[in-house]
Amino acid sequence: MHIKSYGAALTVTGSMHLLTLGGRQLLVDCGLFQGNDETDARNRESFDFDVKGLDGVILTHAHLDHVGRLPLLVRGGYRGPVHCTPPTAALVETVLLDSARLQEDGYRMELRHARRQGREAEVLPPLYEEADVHRTLALLRPDLAFGDTTTVAGVKVTPQRAGHILGSAYLLLESSDGRLLMSGDLGNRESGLQMDFTPPPEVDAVVIETTYANRTHRPWNDTLLEFRDALRSAVREGGKILIPTFAIERAQVILYTLKQLMDAGEVPRIPVFLDSPMATRATNEYFEFGDELIPPVRNALQDGEDPFRPSTLHVVPTSAESQRLNRYDGPAIIMAGNGMMTGGRIQHHLKHHLWKPSTSLISVSYQSPSSLGGRIVTGADHVRIMGEDIAVQAHVHTIGGFSAHADQDDLLAFLGTTGRPHVWLVHGEPEVMDAFVPVLEQRGLKGDLVPDRQDVDLLGPGFPQGRPPGVVLDGVADAARAVGGE
């Protein structure tokens, strides 16, 4: 029972894990690296395994950092099935088509600028195009249902609710080699939208995400009060209120919360602009698969109500209408992607409003330290946006409790029913994972960091102190944890 991770090993992005179980090779997730130029460069690296020799691909959920390299896998020759839950299949279509369009649009824009400077040969083409996405979508097999066992290339696969986003699953994989849990991304048990993860069974080994393995989230009620107070303060400033949001889960949580606060008279009914076509499309899927959601939301959907529509909501479908928002007078909430501010329509709004003291920026998502959002929330005086240096004079609020990721208490609760497995740590900064290893030891569990692109025996002895050879810890990640969560 072996693993070789090509993403989300010693980092929080690009999840892709090659498993060897019962003599078969299965790929769990195939995600895009996101964050900065260094991590983005890894997306262009070729796969150093036999793509055509894979016995199957299984997805845990539809976030881009878990599915964004699937078209590259297909370009490389993979023609087998891609197994997932039905909600994940629906969202993957939205996510990948949006990714391809953004890449193509960005390429055309950069090429125009480069031609004026005589350096068009330096412009890299898109990673993939819409045609690649359509070939990928044809391979999707939405045949995984929570609690039901499906056989994939001779391996028994049982998905269970992970509580992270719509359709998210953790996987129980059973073969002659043993029983393995792949956590994917686990949800925050105080989520404002998703039901809790299902307690897992006893297994031999667990590969678990560790995004917030060194901290606990603020209680949900405290998060609501913090968000309410940030909104009230922002309204008093009289300017735009920018809320960068990921299109799946975070946008829906914020819309639902805004509706609750406005209906209760807790915040003024100012205009809310959802400036994210992807978030608009993703929200539609919540109506079809609402049985995964917490009872108040599920009941509202069953009663024919729209829990994601504040009374002042305006959906912004086109780029032209998005640009017109920059001339809108008076306070207004603008929700736009992406959550880390590394691209998307939010950059246009930041460029036009971040330098104004009347503007408020409310960060409700994880911010990688090296991303634009990370630099802003950690106090940068100036940032570069779309080729211009922009002063940061807006009021910046960070709300960490909206995280859709499990915190340390959630992770320990998840592991609490698994017996005494060997625990392998992925999807986290090295310092965060390293801090989690002694916490596991106190509970009688052996914890090890999964090395990057190195084969590991999941039932083997692991490493001294849980650290693979060559891992250097620098303490950077602790500061990163304070700025929100995906």
Side-chain angles (χ1 to χ4, degrees):
M1 197 155 67
H2 285 242
I3 189 171
K4 192 172 183 180
S5 292
Y6 292 86
L10 307 178
T11 185
V12 295
T13 186
S15 291
M16 184 164 66
H17 309 289
L18 181 64
L19 301 177
T20 304
L21 304 171
R24 300 302 184 96
Q25 287 201 322
L26 298 175
L27 195 67
V28 173
D29 290 341
C30 190
L32 203 70
F33 285 94
Q34 298 173 282
N36 55 35
D37 291 341
E38 181 180 350
T39 54
D40 288 346
R42 287 195 59 177
N43 293 320
R44 296 188 179 273
E45 296 178 1
S46 59
F47 302 108
D48 73 352
F49 56 86
D50 182 8
V51 170
K52 296 179 181 179
L54 290 173
D55 293 298
V57 176
I58 309 174
L59 304 180
T60 62
H61 66 286
H63 269 145
L64 190 63
D65 66 326
H66 289 256
V67 304
R69 276 187 285 173
L70 279 173
L72 296 177
L73 197 73
V74 175
R75 266 194 176 186
Y78 182 72
R79 296 295 182 269
V82 179
H83 303 275
C84 59
T85 64
T88 293
L91 291 172
V92 163
E93 179 174 359
T94 296
V95 168
L96 291 183
L97 286 173
D98 183 77
S99 175
R101 289 164 185 159
L102 285 175
Q103 290 181 56
E104 291 173 358
D105 290 347
Y107 171 71
R108 286 191 290 267
M109 180 182 299
E110 191 173 352
L111 193 61
R112 284 197 301 271
H113 295 162
R115 281 173 176 160
R116 296 174 191 142
Q117 302 166 12
R119 56 175 188 85
E120 59 185 285
E122 300 175 12
V123 180
L124 295 174
L127 288 170
Y128 48 82
E129 301 171 351
E130 284 192 46
D132 299 303
V133 172
H134 288 296
R135 282 190 286 270
T136 302
L137 297 176
L139 302 180
L140 291 181
R141 299 292 182 269
D143 54 0
L144 300 185
F146 296 141
D148 291 345
T149 299
T150 301
T151 299
V152 177
V155 177
K156 293 181 179 179
V157 180
T158 307
Q160 294 285 7
R161 189 176 63 242
H164 176 59
I165 67 168
L166 202 68
S168 61
Y170 66 83
L171 307 172
L172 170 64
L173 302 164
E174 300 175 276
S175 73
S176 57
D177 294 331
R179 291 160 58 88
L180 169 67
L181 276 181
M182 298 291 295
S183 78
D185 286 352
L186 296 171
N188 177 356
R189 289 179 298 167
E190 287 203 69
S191 165
L193 201 56
Q194 296 287 142
M195 291 176 62
D196 296 347
F197 54 72
T198 302
E202 293 188 6
V203 291
D204 301 303
V206 178
V207 177
I208 192 169
E209 70 117 316
T210 52
T211 311
Y212 291 108
N214 68 337
R215 59 163 280 187
T216 55
H217 297 313
R218 183 186 292 267
W220 178 248
N221 287 336
D222 291 349
T223 295
L224 289 179
L225 292 176
E226 185 181 14
F227 185 53
R228 180 202 66 184
D229 292 346
L231 289 169
R232 288 176 173 177
S233 175
V235 171
R236 287 194 293 270
E237 297 297 332
K240 298 297 179 295
I241 303 169
L242 307 181
I243 307 181
T245 50
F246 293 108
I248 301 174
E249 192 276 336
R250 193 56 38 85
Q252 292 76 34
V253 168
I254 297 303
L255 288 172
Y256 174 67
T257 304
L258 285 172
K259 176 175 172 57
Q260 297 300 305
L261 291 173
M262 288 183 177
D263 288 352
E266 295 288 316
V267 297
R269 292 184 183 273
I270 62 173
V272 177
F273 294 97
L274 180 59
D275 191 12
S276 171
M278 182 179 168
T280 302
R281 292 192 298 271
T283 302
N284 293 333
E285 303 300 340
Y286 281 73
F287 290 85
E288 182 175 355
F289 301 107
D291 56 333
E292 287 186 40
L293 307 178
I294 59 175
V297 181
R298 186 170 67 245
N299 294 340
L301 290 171
Q302 291 173 348
D303 292 340
E305 300 174 13
D306 187 346
F308 308 113
R309 179 170 287 276
S311 61
T312 57
L313 179 67
H314 305 272
V315 174
V316 183
T318 68
S319 297
E321 289 174 276
S322 175
Q323 293 168 13
R324 283 198 290 271
L325 285 182
N326 295 315
R327 300 190 295 271
Y328 182 90
D329 290 329
I333 296 169
I334 299 176
M335 298 171 55
N338 65 32
M340 286 196 290
M341 309 177 228
T342 54
R345 294 185 181 181
I346 190 63
Q347 288 203 340
H348 294 272
H349 301 301
L350 291 169
K351 178 181 176 180
H352 283 87
H353 298 293
L354 194 61
W355 53 272
K356 301 176 183 177
S358 61
T359 299
S360 295
L361 173 66
I362 303 180
S363 171
V364 296
S365 302
Y366 167 75
Q367 304 299 339
S368 169
S370 59
S371 69
L372 173 61
R375 294 193 296 274
I376 292 173
V377 301
T378 52
D381 293 326
H382 290 77
V383 290
R384 193 161 184 81
I385 304 175
M386 303 175 68
E388 292 188 31
D389 288 323
I390 305 295
V392 181
Q393 298 195 62
H395 298 267
V396 178
H397 307 265
T398 60
I399 315 291
F402 283 113
S403 176
H405 276 281
D407 64 8
Q408 185 180 102
D409 289 345
D410 297 322
L411 296 176
L412 293 175
F414 181 81
L415 292 170
T417 58
T418 59
R420 287 290 180 266
H422 195 147
V423 182
W424 294 90
L425 311 182
V426 295
H427 203 291
E429 300 289 353
E431 291 75 19
V432 173
M433 294 188 282
D434 188 65
F436 195 43
V437 169
V439 176
L440 294 173
E441 289 177 353
Q442 293 171 7
R443 286 156 178 79
L445 297 173
K446 168 64 172 164
D448 285 279
L449 283 64
V450 172
D452 182 31
R453 292 170 284 191
Q454 296 179 35
D455 185 78
V456 172
D457 181 355
L458 292 169
L459 300 180
F463 310 107
Q465 297 181 313
R467 299 177 188 173
V471 172
V472 178
L473 305 176
D474 60 14
V476 171
D478 289 336
R481 298 282 74 78
V483 298
E486 185 192 28

